Amino acid sequence: QVQLVESGGGLVQPGESLRLSCAASGSIFSINSMGWYRQAPGKERELVASVSSGNRTKYADSTKGRFTISRDNAKNTVYLQMNSLKPEDTAVYYCNVNYIGNRGNWASSWGQGTQVTVSS
């Protein structure tokens, strides 16, 4: 059993910044990739950014140059620094972690989601 605890969402004005955090705990042997997804009302969930165990990052075209994903392996935590936020970034943001459990099983867990609203 792995738990993901997200924090950092909120209401901001266009152009402002937010930092999301997601801490993983539980029966984890090692973490492979970590990422952030988002889902806006009426739309499908989409990848925002991901980071591999080797710190290779991937971004959605709409977030390149504005968002930065990073991870702290000692804390099993992934961060998403979001700058120059736009109204179209408004969505529920979900953390995703792909890991190997203590029993050697590959698995994936999702956070509960945190609301990000960008509005003037």
Side-chain angles (χ1 to χ4, degrees):
Q1 190 83 9
V2 171
Q3 297 80 39
L4 302 182
V5 178
E6 302 171 359
S7 61
L11 170 64
V12 296
Q13 295 187 347
E16 294 186 339
S17 299
L18 278 175
R19 188 190 194 209
L20 305 182
S21 299
C22 173
S25 62
S27 301
I28 299 173
F29 176 74
S30 67
I31 294 178
N32 185 11
S33 63
M34 309 179 84
W36 290 94
Y37 290 72
R38 67 186 180 187
Q39 187 167 19
K43 295 187 177 181
E44 294 186 353
R45 190 173 297 189
E46 63 175 358
L47 173 70
V48 176
S50 65
V51 56
S52 71
S53 57
N55 271 323
R56 179 170 296 183
T57 57
K58 179 180 180 180
Y59 294 93
D61 287 343
S62 60
T63 65
K64 285 179 182 177
R66 298 188 299 123
F67 291 9
T68 302
I69 190 170
S70 61
R71 60 190 284 173
D72 184 333
N73 293 326
K75 297 180 179 180
N76 285 347
T77 299
V78 61
Y79 305 97
L80 184 68
Q81 178 66 43
M82 304 185 293
N83 298 329
S84 302
L85 282 161
K86 304 176 181 180
E88 50 263 44
D89 295 317
T90 296
V92 178
Y93 283 68
Y94 297 91
C95 171
N96 173 253
V97 173
N98 297 303
Y99 63 95
I100 300 175
N102 287 334
R103 297 182 179 180
N105 55 303
W106 285 86
S108 182
S109 286
W110 290 88
Q112 79 282 3
T114 184
Q115 178 70 45
V116 171
T117 302
V118 185
S119 176
S120 56

